[in-house]
Amino acid sequence: MKRYDLRHLKNDFEPRMKEILAETHKATETLIFIFEIGDFTPVQRSADLVKESGYELYNSLKFNEVDWTIVVKKD
């Protein structure tokens, strides 16, 4: 399991998330991303990115008032 904190990137977290998803991970590796949201638009964009990258979205939840967490695993 690997955790990636992308909150410091604010609304520009997607390029970094895409880089991480493009890296080679073990087939059983679970990845956890945390990022900051304003409205809920980044949530859908991140879900789309996960799917496009060949991963399965296991969980997506609000972490606190401004942060969102998603859990993904390679199909």
Side-chain angles (χ1 to χ4, degrees):
M1 183 180 307
K2 292 186 179 178
R3 181 178 178 268
Y4 298 96
D5 188 343
L6 306 178
R7 291 178 288 185
H8 65 283
L9 299 173
K10 304 288 184 199
N11 199 33
D12 297 322
F13 69 91
E14 289 172 80
R16 178 64 181 133
M17 180 185 267
K18 190 172 186 173
E19 287 175 16
I20 294 167
L21 292 171
E23 294 172 2
T24 302
H25 299 281
K26 295 177 188 173
T28 59
E29 189 95 63
T30 300
L31 308 178
I32 301 170
F33 294 95
I34 186 168
F35 52 90
E36 190 173 300
I37 61 168
D39 60 11
F40 288 93
T41 309
V43 175
Q44 185 60 53
R45 289 192 328 246
S46 67
D48 294 342
L49 181 58
V50 165
K51 185 176 180 180
E52 291 168 10
S53 299
Y55 284 76
E56 185 175 345
L57 181 63
Y58 275 28
N59 199 350
S60 176
L61 56 99
K62 193 171 184 179
F63 181 66
N64 58 33
E65 291 300 315
V66 294
D67 299 329
W68 201 269
T69 302
I70 62 170
V71 179
V72 304
K73 194 170 185 181
K74 190 76 169 175
D75 280 342

